[in-house]
């Protein structure tokens, strides 16, 4: 009986959390529509720069994943490792 009660409680809490997330957090389109035109233009200008930075970081992560070194021994791309 206690397992069933715990399961129903868990499902209820998670259901409320998912419902709140979808009703409270706006998606990207709604967020852009609510911005002022100046902010929207700045967002669009910086979009390519953010994409390039993301691609550089992902490339570095994939390279580091292939190596046998631990993560704390791998230096960031623009820095040397201090020992």
């Amino acid at each position: 009986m206690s397992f069933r009660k715990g399961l129903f409680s868990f499902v209820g809490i998670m259901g409320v959390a998912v419902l709140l997330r979808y009703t409270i957090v706006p998606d990207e389109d709604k967020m852009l529509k609510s911005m002022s035109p100046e902010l929207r233009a700045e967002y669009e200008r910086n979009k390519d720069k953010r994409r390039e930075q993301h691609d550089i970081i992902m490339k570095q992560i994939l390279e580091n994943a292939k190596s046998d070194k631990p993560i704390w021994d791998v230096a960031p791309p623009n820095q040397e490792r201090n020992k």
Side-chain angles (χ1 to χ4, degrees):
M1 189 64 127
S2 123
F3 175 76
R4 193 176 291 172
K5 184 178 179 181
L7 181 64
F8 285 135
S9 298
F10 174 76
V11 169
I13 291 171
M14 292 306 293
V16 168
V18 169
L19 181 66
L20 285 175
R21 188 239 180 252
Y22 282 111
T23 57
I24 293 174
V25 178
D27 60 350
E28 188 176 357
D29 293 333
K30 288 181 183 178
M31 184 91 76
L32 286 174
K33 288 178 184 177
S34 68
M35 287 182 179
S36 67
E38 296 87 18
L39 283 176
R40 197 176 311 137
E42 182 179 343
Y43 173 81
E44 292 297 329
R45 280 194 308 267
N46 294 332
K47 196 174 194 178
D48 292 332
K49 183 179 178 182
R50 282 192 312 275
R51 173 56 65 187
E52 288 174 9
Q53 289 174 344
H54 179 265
D55 291 342
I56 290 170
I57 291 171
M58 289 305 295
K59 180 181 173 187
Q60 184 68 31
I61 289 172
L62 291 174
E63 287 175 8
N64 293 343
K66 292 177 185 175
S67 75
D68 293 335
K69 296 180 185 176
I71 188 68
W72 53 85
D73 282 342
V74 179
N78 297 330
Q79 298 176 2
E80 292 183 20
R81 175 84 176 135
N82 295 332
K83 286 194 175 189

